[in-house]
Structure formats: structure tokens, C-alpha cells
Amino acid sequence: MPVTDAPLNGHALLDFNSPLSDATAYDLIGGLRLGAGATVVDYGCGWAELLLRAVEHEPGARGLGVDSDDYAIDRGRANAEARGLTSRVTLERADVTTWRTEPADVAISIGSSHAWGGTKQALEALHARLRPGGTLLLGDGFWERPPNAKSVEIFGEEEFGTLAELVDLAMTCGYRLLNLATATLAEWDAFESRWCAARELWLLEHPDHPEADEVRKVVDDHRDGWLTGYRGHLGFAYLTLARP
Ligand SMILES: C[S@@+](CC[C@H](N)C(=O)[O-])C[C@H]1O[C@@H](n2cnc3c(N)ncnc32)[C@H](O)[C@@H]1O
């Protein structure tokens, strides 16, 4: 039976769709070397919260964000409008691999490498989408500690390397490292907790909903994978990279 009366928005409690605190976001934006007139393009922007904050930080900058998710783009556009940014921010629903614009001063790709087929492909594609001297902020996973069996079950054997391997890969793709930040355990716990809590709060309000059992199973499986699997094993790095 189609259910339309109580849609679940599983991302409602998240500010960013990655393990990222306000303080780290602020630091990362400070490292983007945004000048007046700079163009920032966020590939796989989600609802573009980091892009909006970057453009708010530098009032002369212009932002473009691309994501294939209708809901995310609608949320981002509503936020841009509410914050008076529509004259400087454009968000488009498109596939990042086929969408094209002029090479940017700053490119952002956080948690979106899979859109290009993996981290190496993302680094190569974004290199061509940056002007020489530009900056890439790449957010990507790595194994902080070797994956346990549950982590391998969730993410597979080949998905991530070590942090050193991630940075080396960026170097071999023609970048230089300007800054490295990694998500703290507190940032991870906040991210995973909020992801689960959106569903738990929905279940409290809709205990007899026809989809309640399914949602309860999704959140139970997710919490189990997080707490018995990748918590403390999976890392997330934010590399600020220069394209010489
Ligand atoms: C983990 S989310 C990260 C979103 C955002 N960068 C953030 O940190 O909040 C990954 C995003 O990539 C988007 N995505 C995946 N494949 C894509 C593609 N081929 N083209 C455009 N967006 C894509 C998804 O819709 C999703 O919003």
C-alpha cells in the first residue's frame, strides 16, 4: 500500500551528510583560499550546507552545487533562499560526471567519490575541473584501523585504503596537500546518532505505520553495523589540496 501521509525524512537532523561539526566546517572553509570573485563548485553537494557557508564566509564568492538527488537540491535551494543567497548560489539537479562548467577556483567533493567510480577517478575528474592554482576540498573515507569482518560485510574489501594511501593517491593525481583534517569520534557519533534519531523519532510518532517494522529494521541494522562494525575503524578525511 503506498504511504503518503507520514513521509520519513531520514536526513532531517543532519546539518551535513558527513561526519562534520560546525567548528571543523569553519576551519575547512578558512583554508579554501576564497577570494572576492572566486567560484566554488560543489560536486555531489547534497543540500549544499558547506557551499552555502563558504559563500556566506566570502561575500564576493559565487557558488554552484550539483547533486542527483531532487530532495537534497530542493532543501538546499530553500536554505539558499532563506539565507538571501540566491543571487550568488545556483544548485542544479544533475549527474556530476556529465554536468560541465568553467574550471573553478575551488572545488568541493565530500563523500561523493563513488559518483565518479571511486577516489582516483574523482581526483582525476576534479583536477580537470579546477583552474591551475585552484583548491580542492576532498572528503573521503579511509581505514583508521584495519576493518573487522562486519566492516568488510558493509563496505567490502577494496573500498578504502589507509590515510597515507589516500594522501599518496592525491599526490599521484597531481595535487599537493595544504591541510589534512580527520573526523573525530565525537563527529562520527553525532553523525550516526542523528541519522538513527530521525528514524527513532518518526517511529515514536508513527508506531503503527505500515512501514514502521521496515524502518525499525533499517535503523537496528544501521546501529548494529556502526557499533559492532566500523565505529573506530572507518575514518573520514578532509584533504585540502592545491592544484599546482
Ligand atoms: C554522502 S552524500 C554527501 C553530500 C554532501 N557532499 C555533504 O557532505 O553533505 C553523497 C552525495 O552524492 C550524491 N551523488 C551520488 N552520485 C551522484 C552523481 N552521479 N551525480 C550527482 N550527485 C551524486 C548523492 O545524491 C549524495 O547527495
Side-chain angles (χ1 to χ4, degrees), residues 218-235:
V218 166
V219 74
D220 283 346
D221 286 351
H222 186 93
R223 193 186 56 252
D224 185 55
W226 161 38
L227 294 177
T228 70
Y230 58 88
R231 184 177 187 272
H233 290 258
L234 183 62

Side-chain angles (χ1 to χ4, degrees), residues 16-18 42 44-46 66-69 72 94-96 110-112 114-115:
F16 305 98
N17 198 358
S18 68
D42 191 334
C45 62
V66 189
D67 201 283
S68 53
D69 182 329
D95 184 330
V96 291
I110 294 183
S112 307
H114 59 286

